[in-house]
Amino acid sequence: MSEQITIEKSLRDWWSKVKAGQVGALPAILGLVVLCLVFGSMSSVFLTPGNFANLLTQAAAVTVIAMGLIFVLLLGEIDLSAGYAAGVCGAILVIMITEMDYAWYIAFPVSILGGVVLGAFIGYLVAQLKIPSFVVTLATFLAFQGLLLLLVGEGGTIRIEDPVILAVENKNLSVSASWIFFFVTAGAYVLSGLWKFSKRRRAGLVDSLFKFWVIKTIGLIVIGVAATSALTVERSNNPELVSLRGIPYVVPVILVLLVGATFVLTRTSYGLHIYAVGGNAEAARRAGINVKMVRITAFMICSGFAAVAGMIFVSRANSISPTTGGSSTLLYAVGAAVIGGTSLFGGKGKVSDAILGGLVVAVIDNGMALLGYPAGIKFMVTGAVLLISATIDAVSRRGASAG
Amino acid sequence: MASPLLSLRKINKSFGPVHVLKNVDFDAYAGKVTALVGDNGAGKSTLIKCIAGIYTPETGEFIFEGNKVTIAGPRDATALGIEIVYQDLALCDNLDIVHNMFLGREEKSGITLNESTMESMAKKTLDGLSVRTVKSIRQKVASLSGGQRQTVAIARAVLWNSKVVILDEPTAALGVAQTEQVLKLVRQLADNGLAVIVISHNLNDVFQVADNIAAMYLGTMAAQVEKNSVTQNDVVRLITTGSSDAIAGAKK
Ligand SMILES: Nc1ncnc2c1ncn2[C@@H]1O[C@H](COP(=O)(O)OP(=O)(O)OP(=O)(O)O)[C@@H](O)[C@H]1O
Ligand SMILES: [Mg+2]
């Protein structure tokens, strides 16, 4: 009986959070479910394992850029040049490997370092010289585009043949490795959650959210089992010739980034300071936080993530071109973060928002292409979804300050 | 009266040619609420910013617990146990009560935040202040009322075993009930043994909560008196004319 009450209470707590403007992931999850149902009913291909794997690799680069952007968005800033930062870092990677014969494990860290330097430059201009990030990154958007063009050469593309880099977007974990990956991930998630709650209990702190966590965890595990099952099914048209099954390598790559970035934002004082600066920079300053350092490092992290996205772009295309990371990349990444629930006003958001939003953006992209809609319609629908998310953000924000 | 916890002697502070504080003396006592009153521009905020280390006076002495000290920056003030609650509170709406109370001075184990320690300490502090109005200390500050926010800001200031707490117009934006609640909290701080300094323009509040009243007039300390030795009219006269002639208790 008391069980009943606590479940009810945790649901009620959660609902009051939703109403207080902390709507969290709910709209994006609902949107994702609705989109999948709609596309699944209209296209026979959409809900196949092959398309699912395709969707994940398609969403990967934009999602990673969005994960980095969230650090900047949390401060109420923006980085419009993150897409081309990915392009520039991808170019560094390809040039070092293809033209200079460096191993991937040298070239990849160097390309990330390159991204971090670009971010430090942006962050310095924003934090030290107090130029609005919108203006700074509009300028670097152009500048990085030019830099990419100079590195790659006009009209040219540079191919990459490194098997490790190519594997990220084109190869899969073996079936047994896929299941091991699932069990290790799920086990670590459950254990870390239980550990957290037991620590709180030992400290004598009550938690009405525990039951909610249990429900959420069961839901995630069900989704995980379903996804792993789908991905370990044979999806090659010609299995005798080439077998195609298992979780794409890019999935564990993204998971590592997700866990690392979430740890930094939710468990360390640096993460707390990012939220504080985004919520009230003056209060953060008076509390003794080095606001400038927080701003500069957030831009460095953002561009560092962009460098990883650059590697994913290169892996997917087998090459770098002067348009890598261009066109709608950045807009999709910002869209992914906002659709996932990160606020453009700063102070609110999670790294996992990027995953959820990135999936929504990729589902629209993928589903509408399967249905044969022209790119024009696709952009308009994505724009409309972004607008809906921004509206939810603005309205829930008003709800929060009114309450 | 016992000797003061904090004494300021002959403090002078100028901004360029503007001489804002002129030979100001001021005392604050442990366990007492000292109200700092004065008209707009009298120099109240400037004086407390000198105490908090935000401004450094050109001349003058600080005596803390009987010893001469120098307060050259906010860190010196904090190290002495002097905390200030600003008029605009400076809280982060998007963080919960615990995180606001510990912001900039988080409890850590290794590189991770020690959430349970922070939560327990925050709870103990709020309980010690007899605060019962907040539902959950994990609730975001955005969802709190003005009085509750003021409470969080005050709790933040007393979390660190501070000895002096300065409040700049803590009730200025509050309604009747919440003003009452905050004044009770101010009284509680003093009863817990802290030296409390309150800036206020509301003489009713001052007479309700203060033990001593320090009145400033155009950058000078017109008088610092015990509340029981004066009437509201005396204080109004001090504030408007700076003259303490008619007041028996004045020890100018
Ligand atoms: N940074 C500054 N530079 C120049 N003048 C200043 C500065 N700060 C304060 N002043 C001047 O010092 C005088 C005292 O200001 P202060 O803010 O201390 O007054 P106050 O008593 O707090 O007034 P109020 O009740 O309006 O808050 C005013 O004349 C003000 O113009
Ligand atoms: Mg003032």
Side-chain angles (χ1 to χ4, degrees):
Chain A
M1 192 201 81
S2 70
E3 297 275 290
Q4 210 66 40
I5 293 170
T6 40
I7 290 181
E8 217 184 287
K9 179 165 159 34
S10 53
L11 283 177
R12 217 168 335 114
D13 284 0
W14 175 76
W15 179 240
S16 67
K17 261 181 150 181
V18 169
K19 275 192 302 189
Q22 296 157 271
V23 285
L26 189 66
I29 292 174
L30 286 180
L32 196 57
V33 170
V34 169
L35 283 170
C36 287
L37 290 178
V38 170
F39 288 131
S41 69
M42 290 170 78
S43 156
S44 56
V45 185
F46 182 78
L47 285 179
T48 59
N51 192 50
F52 180 44
N54 193 21
L55 195 79
L56 293 181
T57 51
Q58 220 178 332
V62 163
T63 299
V64 171
I65 294 178
M67 289 167 97
L69 266 174
I70 281 169
F71 284 81
V72 167
L73 293 177
L74 278 175
L75 299 179
E77 308 279 354
I78 188 127
D79 184 354
L80 297 173
S81 61
Y84 275 117
V88 169
C89 297
I92 295 174
L93 180 73
V94 175
I95 290 170
M96 282 187 70
I97 290 177
T98 302
E99 296 186 351
M100 298 162 84
D101 283 329
Y102 281 103
W104 71 270
Y105 50 81
I106 308 272
F108 183 48
V110 169
S111 76
I112 292 179
L113 196 69
V116 170
V117 170
L118 297 180
F121 175 68
I122 297 170
Y124 177 81
L125 294 176
V126 172
Q128 193 69 36
L129 303 185
K130 304 215 169 9
I131 312 171
S133 59
F134 181 82
V135 177
V136 171
T137 60
L138 196 59
T140 51
F141 170 84
L142 287 169
F144 294 171
Q145 186 175 5
L147 185 57
L148 177 61
L149 193 59
L150 290 177
L151 286 173
V152 179
E154 213 150 333
T157 59
I158 310 174
R159 293 190 56 78
I160 179 162
E161 265 139 34
D162 184 274
V164 175
I165 299 290
L166 290 183
V168 172
E169 279 278 83
N170 301 298
K171 289 277 191 304
N172 308 292
L173 295 172
S174 72
V175 172
S176 48
S178 296
W179 282 109
I180 291 171
F181 170 70
F182 165 74
F183 282 115
V184 168
T185 309
Y189 182 83
V190 170
L191 286 180
S192 76
L194 287 179
W195 188 68
K196 190 183 106 186
F197 280 112
S198 81
K199 209 171 96 179
R200 290 176 55 81
R201 196 151 297 171
R202 257 183 285 130
L205 302 163
V206 281
D207 241 306
S208 62
L209 286 176
F210 181 68
K211 288 282 150 68
F212 176 63
W213 177 81
V214 172
I215 296 169
K216 186 174 113 183
T217 304
I218 292 172
L220 283 174
I221 288 177
V222 169
I223 293 171
V225 170
T228 312
S229 307
L231 289 172
T232 45
V233 167
E234 179 61 62
R235 48 181 192 266
S236 168
N237 292 328
N238 201 342
E240 281 90 66
L241 201 65
V242 51
S243 174
L244 203 58
R245 45 197 310 203
I247 295 175
Y249 276 112
V250 73
V251 172
V253 169
I254 288 184
L255 195 85
V256 167
L257 295 177
L258 172 69
V259 171
T262 302
F263 176 83
V264 168
L265 278 185
T266 60
R267 297 287 176 88
T268 68
S269 52
Y270 173 73
L272 185 62
H273 295 173
I274 288 201
Y275 284 99
V277 171
N280 185 342
E282 175 59 20
R285 195 186 60 77
R286 286 192 203 157
I289 293 170
N290 187 342
V291 175
K292 268 181 202 164
M293 193 277 290
V294 169
R295 285 225 166 88
I296 294 176
T297 48
F299 279 99
M300 289 162 72
I301 291 171
C302 180
S303 304
F305 271 79
V308 178
M311 180 272 287
I312 295 173
F313 273 130
V314 164
S315 173
R316 187 167 168 78
N318 301 343
S319 66
I320 186 89
S321 85
T323 57
T324 303
S327 75
S328 54
T329 302
L330 186 272
L331 301 178
Y332 271 13
V334 175
V338 174
I339 289 167
T342 293
S343 174
L344 285 171
F345 301 102
K348 190 185 131 236
K350 301 198 295 270
V351 188
S352 57
D353 291 348
I355 310 264
L356 209 50
L359 281 175
V360 170
V361 170
V363 162
I364 295 173
D365 215 44
N366 173 290
M368 299 205 65
L370 284 178
L371 293 176
Y373 285 105
I377 303 278
K378 213 173 65 186
F379 285 143
M380 287 172 70
V381 169
T382 312
V385 171
L386 176 54
L387 208 53
I388 292 170
S389 310
T391 308
I392 293 172
D393 178 22
V395 169
S396 73
R397 196 178 136 81
R398 213 173 43 204
S401 51
Chain B
M1 206 186 285
S3 63
L5 179 71
L6 172 72
S7 291
L8 276 59
R9 289 290 171 265
K10 300 222 174 317
I11 298 289
N12 282 282
K13 173 72 192 163
S14 304
F15 294 106
V18 194
H19 198 170
V20 176
L21 297 179
K22 299 161 191 159
N23 286 325
V24 171
D25 293 350
F26 177 76
D27 296 308
Y29 299 85
K32 302 255 188 251
V33 177
T34 306
L36 187 56
V37 298
D39 229 334
N40 295 115
K44 306 181 294 295
S45 295
T46 308
L47 182 66
I48 62 159
K49 282 177 182 163
C50 288
I51 299 175
I54 295 169
Y55 297 148
T56 317
E58 285 88 42
T59 63
E61 281 184 6
F62 292 93
I63 296 135
F64 190 80
E65 294 181 322
N67 304 314
K68 235 187 105 174
V69 294
T70 48
I71 299 180
R75 272 170 206 286
D76 293 346
T78 313
L80 289 172
I82 300 173
E83 292 282 335
I84 182 163
V85 178
Y86 294 94
Q87 192 169 356
D88 59 355
L89 298 187
L91 298 172
C92 293
D93 275 357
N94 59 330
L95 301 184
D96 64 28
I97 294 175
V98 177
H99 285 157
N100 263 292
M101 285 174 67
F102 281 87
L103 192 61
R105 295 183 273 195
E106 300 85 9
E107 290 291 323
K108 280 180 268 192
S109 48
I111 59 163
T112 60
L113 295 171
N114 195 336
E115 296 283 355
S116 32
T117 303
M118 288 196 284
E119 194 167 327
S120 315
M121 282 173 73
K123 224 165 127 68
K124 222 165 67 201
T125 304
L126 287 169
D127 287 348
L129 296 173
S130 317
V131 173
R132 305 252 180 273
T133 58
V134 293
K135 223 170 45 212
S136 153
I137 56 174
R138 281 300 181 180
Q139 126 192 49
K140 302 258 188 264
V141 162
S143 63
L144 300 181
S145 71
Q148 290 173 325
R149 297 165 66 88
Q150 184 67 251
T151 304
V152 172
I154 293 172
R156 176 179 159 78
V158 300
L159 187 58
W160 307 99
N161 296 320
S162 35
K163 294 174 179 157
V164 181
V165 172
I166 306 169
L167 304 117
D168 196 351
E169 302 202 34
T171 59
L174 302 181
V176 179
Q178 302 209 337
T179 297
E180 201 62 29
Q181 183 192 322
V182 167
L183 289 182
K184 243 169 76 187
L185 185 51
V186 168
R187 193 62 249 173
Q188 177 86 50
L189 295 182
D191 293 347
N192 288 4
L194 279 77
V196 183
I197 303 169
V198 182
I199 297 185
S200 180
H201 284 290
N202 185 327
L203 288 188
N204 288 326
D205 290 1
V206 167
F207 270 79
Q208 184 185 335
V209 78
D211 301 296
N212 297 315
I213 299 173
M216 293 192 72
Y217 177 75
L218 297 178
T220 62
M221 186 59 74
Q224 182 162 358
V225 297
E226 283 187 44
K227 176 187 75 180
N228 293 332
S229 65
V230 290
T231 64
Q232 287 215 15
N233 278 335
D234 295 337
V235 176
V236 170
R237 199 154 348 107
L238 279 174
I239 292 171
T240 50
T241 67
S243 155
S244 61
D245 297 347
I247 300 167
K251 46 165 191 173
K252 175 92 199 282

